[in-house]
């Protein structure tokens, strides 16, 4: 609880119990911020907010009527004011923990979770991102990769109360463009990579990069910007404008932290790790050259935290894979199954290239689809990639929303000529079919859903057991004697 004159420079003095930007959750003695969003203008819901108990309205557009018992505060930018007030209302939680923000087109989840897992061996850590929100034994779902301002500040405050000392936060380009983190204090900002994504929202690659660059403008002189030197465009964009320290990592370009002599295997990666002038050969249970870059980002965080090199090398043992991100399933049969989230076309390219780079005596069998009502160009791109890299393709459901699954798959199949390709609409049956035809040495790629245990349809999110569960159950059923009628999917 706060007093209104603690939040605004006003003469009035009354208590404020809560703050809101969604009128549906407004209660007694609250402030309602009339945020003009992408699809909803909060000014249209002022009367609802007053009826439900709001004592203060923060607005920016002309109003036709003002209730006499309500305090109205006009500002130039409601969202900026919301960021400022939310930080005060929740007692500046980001200043009380080590805040590590991760932005980039891909790799945010992997890097953030690796940081959380590794640093958890030294201090109490929290995580907020695509997978969920986790801290102090609490797991909670979030609607967005980077939650909205009030939700974010409230949960950071809860972390402080539960003695969390550090937070790894995924910071999406949407979250940055929509100013969701403008009220936070970051100690470290990490950039992974950038390629064409969400251009329906950002418009151009230039605008996309400027959105991502906003994270680093939030760092002060004591902070650290951790930049990928292999992403030259972005490095050149931000290097001269930063107030913070800069640490770099890379594979192709000289950096503070580098990987040399990379060797890729189906179940791990090895490389010579160079931290400034020191060189050490390491191996990690992480798959793919692109994930080597992610590991370098994590190691550079340890350098920023002033961890001695010997301790950094010892800490590498704590690096582990992330569920649904280039996850190699464990089973005893002579073929391999890899599950990956693969949300962007470039991610498909990375996965397909990896399977061609490692020793593979068999076929590459891919199971995937494409989301409905989203990035139609992606269907052509991934179809052409599958045509180039795969031996067999099974096209199937993947968050079709209100589009026809078969038509989505046909859009992809149009660009697959060389490999054998079939359409199996039920994703569970498609995965089971891929397992059924597996021979010694084959690599089965199950792409697009990763860790998710739902399927987006026209009626909302429907329960789905998850690719990992379906694949492992199919292996047990087909190769280990389980009877088909005994297979039960857990929702």
């Amino acid at each position: 609880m706060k007093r209104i004159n603690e939040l605004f420079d006003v003469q009035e003095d009354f208590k404020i119990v809560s703050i809101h930007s969604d009128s549906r959750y407004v209660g007694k003695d609250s402030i309602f911020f009339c945020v003009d969003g992408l699809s909803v203008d909060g000014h249209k819901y002022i009367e609802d907010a007053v009826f439900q108990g709001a004592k203060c309205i923060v607005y920016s557009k002309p109003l036709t009527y003002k209730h006499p018992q309500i305090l109205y505060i006009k500002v130039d930018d409601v969202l900026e004011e919301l960021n400022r007030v939310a930080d005060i209302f929740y007692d500046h939680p980001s200043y009380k923990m080590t805040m590590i923000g991760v932005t980039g087109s891909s790799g945010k989840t992997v890097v953030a979770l690796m940081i959380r897992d590794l640093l958890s061996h030294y201090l109490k850590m929290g995580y907020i991102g695509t997978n969920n929100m986790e801290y102090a034994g609490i797991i909670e779902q979030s609607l967005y990769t980077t939650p909205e301002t009030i939700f974010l500040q409230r949960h950071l405050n809860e972390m402080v109360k539960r003695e969390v000392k550090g937070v790894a936060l995924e910071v999406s380009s949407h979250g940055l463009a929509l100013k969701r983190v403008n009220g936070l204090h970051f100690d470290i900002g990490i950039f992974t990579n950038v390629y064409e994504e969400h251009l329906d929202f950002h418009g151009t690659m230039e605008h996309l990069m400027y959105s991502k660059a906003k994270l680093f403008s939030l760092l002060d002189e004591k902070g650290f910007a951790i930049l990928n030197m292999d992403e030259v465009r972005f490095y050149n964009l931000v290097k001269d404008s930063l107030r913070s320290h800069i640490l770099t990592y890379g594979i192709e370009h000289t950096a503070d932290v580098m990987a040399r002599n990379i060797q890729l295997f189906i179940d791990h990666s090895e490389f010579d790790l160079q931290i400034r002038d020191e060189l050490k050969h390491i191996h990690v249970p992480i798959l793919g050259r692109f994930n080597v870059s992610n590991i370098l980002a994590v190691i550079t965080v340890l350098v920023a935290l002033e961890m001695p090199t010997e301790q950094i090398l010892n800490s590498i043992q704590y690096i582990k894979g992330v569920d649904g991100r280039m996850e190699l399933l464990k089973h005893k049969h002579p073929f391999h199954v890899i599950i990956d989230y693969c949300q962007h076309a470039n991610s498909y390219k990375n996965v397909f290239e990896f399977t061609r780079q490692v020793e593979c005596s068999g076929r590459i069998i891919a199971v995937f689809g494409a989301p409905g009502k989203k990035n139609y160009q992606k269907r052509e791109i991934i179809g052409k990639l599958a045509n180039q890299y795969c031996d067999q393709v099974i096209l199937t459901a993947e968050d079709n929303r209100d589009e026809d699954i078969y038509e989505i798959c046909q859009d992809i199949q149009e660009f697959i000529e060389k490999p054998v390709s079939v359409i199996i609409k039920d994703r569970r049956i498609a995965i089971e079919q891929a397992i059924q035809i597996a021979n010694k040495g084959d690599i089965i790629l199950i792409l697009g859903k990763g860790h998710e245990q739902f399927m987006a349809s026209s009626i909302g999110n429907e329960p789905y057991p998850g690719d990992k569960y379906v694949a492992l159950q199919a292996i047990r059923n087909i190769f280990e004697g389980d009877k088909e009628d005994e297979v039960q999917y857990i929702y």
Side-chain angles (χ1 to χ4, degrees):
M1 187 187 77
K2 288 285 189 292
R3 309 297 296 183
I4 189 67
N5 51 21
E6 293 180 82
L7 304 175
F8 297 94
D9 185 14
V10 294
Q11 295 298 318
E12 288 83 354
D13 181 14
F14 53 82
K15 68 179 180 180
I16 294 297
V17 175
S18 61
I19 60 177
H20 304 277
S21 60
D22 188 330
S23 63
R24 293 173 296 178
Y25 304 112
V26 170
K28 185 181 177 183
D29 297 329
S30 64
I31 302 175
F32 177 60
F33 290 82
C34 304
V35 175
D36 189 359
L38 292 176
S39 58
V40 176
D41 183 355
H43 291 82
K44 296 179 179 179
Y45 298 92
I46 290 176
E47 293 303 308
D48 291 343
V50 171
F51 178 75
Q52 291 176 204
K55 266 184 126 171
C56 173
I57 304 294
V58 180
Y59 69 102
S60 61
K61 295 181 177 181
L63 303 182
T64 57
Y65 178 76
K66 294 182 180 180
H67 293 269
Q69 303 301 319
I70 304 299
L71 175 64
Y72 291 83
I73 300 176
K74 187 175 183 181
V75 297
D76 293 330
D77 188 327
V78 174
L79 198 51
E80 287 287 5
E81 198 68 2
L82 173 60
N83 275 289
R84 184 189 69 79
V85 171
D87 184 42
I88 298 171
F89 187 83
Y90 290 107
D91 297 320
H92 312 288
S94 62
Y95 287 82
K96 299 173 183 177
M97 299 179 288
T98 299
M99 292 293 301
I100 303 172
V102 188
T103 194
S105 294
S106 67
K108 294 187 295 295
T109 303
V110 170
V111 171
L113 285 172
M114 283 185 182
I115 290 169
R116 189 277 309 270
D117 291 342
L118 194 155
L119 290 181
S120 290
H121 291 272
Y122 304 99
L123 67 159
K124 200 169 184 178
M125 289 290 297
Y127 159 79
I128 301 172
T130 303
N131 280 23
N132 47 43
M133 182 178 305
E134 300 179 19
Y135 61 95
I138 295 170
I139 300 177
E140 185 173 335
Q141 297 299 313
S142 171
L143 291 176
Y144 308 106
T145 295
T146 306
E148 293 181 326
T149 301
I150 297 173
F151 183 95
L152 188 54
Q153 291 279 15
R154 183 171 70 248
H155 283 84
L156 290 175
N157 184 46
E158 286 299 316
M159 291 184 189
V160 170
K161 292 178 180 178
R162 294 174 183 272
E163 301 183 335
V164 172
K165 302 301 181 184
V167 181
L169 170 65
E170 293 184 48
V171 188
S172 68
S173 57
H174 280 76
L176 286 160
L178 297 173
K179 303 180 181 181
R180 291 175 184 166
V181 297
N182 281 22
L184 300 187
H185 173 267
F186 286 95
D187 298 283
I188 297 174
I190 304 167
F191 171 74
T192 58
N193 50 53
V194 64
Y195 46 80
E196 289 190 6
E197 57 157 346
H198 306 312
L199 295 189
D200 55 333
F201 177 80
H202 294 286
T204 65
M205 278 294 289
E206 183 180 33
H207 289 154
L208 171 63
M209 289 199 293
Y210 275 113
S211 289
K212 295 185 184 300
K214 287 181 180 179
L215 172 62
F216 303 94
S217 69
L218 299 175
L219 296 168
D220 61 23
E221 295 83 356
K222 296 180 181 179
F224 281 87
I226 295 178
L227 304 177
N228 184 352
M229 282 298 292
D230 295 333
E231 290 282 349
V232 178
R233 291 177 301 173
F234 190 83
Y235 178 77
N236 289 335
L237 175 69
V238 301
K239 64 174 181 171
D240 296 326
S241 61
L242 299 182
R243 296 174 294 164
S244 64
H245 303 285
I246 298 177
L247 284 173
T248 59
Y249 67 95
I251 296 173
E252 303 296 337
H253 295 78
T254 302
D256 296 309
V257 178
M258 297 189 67
R260 301 179 181 275
N261 305 317
I262 298 171
Q263 296 175 280
L264 302 176
F265 301 91
I266 192 64
D267 60 349
H268 73 286
S269 302
E270 297 183 23
F271 57 91
D272 294 328
L273 172 65
Q274 181 175 330
I275 303 177
R276 297 196 172 102
D277 297 327
E278 298 189 47
L279 195 68
K280 178 74 172 180
H281 187 76
I282 66 170
H283 60 88
V284 287
I286 305 298
L287 311 184
R289 187 181 179 88
F290 55 95
N291 269 331
V292 171
S293 182
N294 291 333
I295 290 169
L296 295 180
V298 174
I299 292 172
T300 310
V301 170
L302 304 185
V303 176
L305 294 174
E306 300 183 343
M307 188 178 285
T309 302
E310 184 177 344
Q311 189 176 4
I312 291 175
L313 295 172
N314 184 61
S315 299
I316 289 170
Q317 66 181 302
Y318 302 130
I319 290 176
K320 61 182 182 180
V322 174
D323 287 347
R325 263 65 172 187
M326 288 302 286
E327 182 179 5
L328 180 68
L329 298 192
K330 294 181 180 179
H331 61 87
K332 61 184 180 181
H333 303 286
F335 57 86
H336 306 287
V337 181
I338 294 173
I339 292 174
D340 191 66
Y341 191 51
C342 248
Q343 286 296 285
H344 305 295
N346 197 66
S347 301
Y348 282 81
K349 186 174 187 291
N350 287 335
V351 175
F352 290 149
E353 284 184 345
F354 166 74
T355 56
R356 285 300 181 194
Q357 290 166 346
V358 297
E359 185 177 343
C360 173
S361 60
R363 301 163 298 170
I364 295 175
I365 303 169
V367 181
F368 63 91
K373 300 295 183 184
K374 198 173 183 181
N375 193 358
Y376 295 100
Q377 186 183 9
K378 175 182 175 181
R379 301 176 191 181
E380 176 181 348
I381 297 171
I382 63 179
K384 288 180 176 179
L385 287 169
N387 187 65
Q388 179 181 352
Y389 290 99
C390 298
D391 298 298
Q392 290 188 233
V393 176
I394 302 176
L395 299 169
T396 191
E398 181 192 321
D399 298 329
N400 63 295
R401 297 179 170 88
D402 56 355
E403 275 197 78
D404 183 77
I405 296 170
Y406 196 83
E407 289 179 3
I408 293 173
C409 293
Q410 281 185 314
D411 288 345
I412 303 169
Q413 194 176 42
E414 181 182 346
F415 301 97
I416 302 175
E417 299 174 357
K418 292 186 293 183
V420 175
S421 65
V422 297
I423 297 173
I424 300 177
K425 292 171 64 174
D426 189 309
R427 191 174 181 93
R428 284 166 284 198
I429 296 174
I431 292 171
E432 290 167 356
Q433 183 61 37
I435 302 295
Q436 178 75 57
I437 64 174
N439 293 326
K440 182 177 181 180
D442 289 349
I443 299 177
I444 299 172
L445 302 173
I446 306 174
L447 309 176
K449 291 298 292 178
H451 66 288
E452 291 179 341
Q453 292 184 303
F454 65 86
M455 199 73 72
S457 72
S458 59
I459 60 172
N461 288 345
E462 297 182 357
Y464 170 67
D467 288 347
K468 180 176 181 177
Y469 179 86
V470 173
L472 288 175
Q473 186 60 61
I475 290 170
R476 287 191 291 269
N477 176 43
I478 295 166
F479 295 98
E480 296 172 14
D482 284 1
K483 293 181 180 178
E484 189 168 344
D485 59 3
E486 292 178 352
V487 177
Q488 294 182 349
Y489 294 109
I490 300 174
Y491 293 94

